[in-house]
Amino acid sequence: QVRLVESGGGLVQAGGSLRLSCAASGSVLRVDSMAWYRQTPGKQRELVAKMPSSTSTTYADGVKGRFTISRDNAKNTVYLQMNSLKPEDTAVYYCNSVATESGNSVPRVYWGQGAQVTVSS
């Protein structure tokens, strides 16, 4: 089974920085896209940044210029560097990946357990 394990959340003051990491482990045959989503209470989960491939990136309008997504394919790991954080960035951040498990041929969507990011004003 493929598991996504996140790390790096926490509490930071407005204007500060945090970096989230997410590693795909277990019976991983291939990792396709990797992405970060976030969710606040009472709202739908929203896309923050996505890397469909090693060279392609997509960002939500509200984080462009402040957040950077990157990935290390050798480690099946995706990162989210968050700079100039604002109180409205406070949310639970979820790692997302489309990956294929060893022994299977059909890729599936996997989610991490979530990491709380709190930005104080």
Side-chain angles (χ1 to χ4, degrees):
Q1 188 172 1
V2 176
R3 295 179 300 276
L4 299 181
V5 180
E6 303 177 27
S7 61
L11 172 66
V12 65
Q13 288 188 331
S17 299
L18 282 175
R19 189 174 87 149
L20 301 178
S21 301
C22 172
S25 63
S27 304
V28 180
L29 175 64
R30 185 182 71 249
V31 175
D32 296 322
S33 68
M34 301 193 84
W36 290 96
Y37 288 73
R38 66 187 180 188
Q39 189 171 24
T40 55
K43 293 188 176 181
Q44 286 190 326
R45 196 170 294 187
E46 62 177 8
L47 176 68
V48 176
K50 184 175 184 178
M51 286 194 78
S53 68
S54 298
T55 57
S56 175
T57 58
T58 301
Y59 293 95
D61 288 343
V63 306
K64 286 181 181 177
R66 300 188 298 121
F67 291 10
T68 302
I69 187 172
S70 60
R71 58 191 286 182
D72 183 334
N73 291 329
K75 297 180 180 179
N76 288 331
T77 299
V78 65
Y79 306 95
L80 184 68
Q81 178 66 43
M82 304 182 290
N83 298 329
S84 301
L85 282 160
K86 304 175 181 180
E88 51 262 45
D89 294 318
T90 295
V92 178
Y93 284 70
Y94 293 92
C95 176
N96 166 281
S97 178
V98 176
T100 304
E101 184 178 351
S102 297
N104 290 333
S105 60
V106 179
R108 293 178 54 190
V109 177
Y110 296 91
W111 291 93
Q113 80 280 10
Q116 177 69 48
V117 171
T118 302
V119 184
S120 63
S121 58

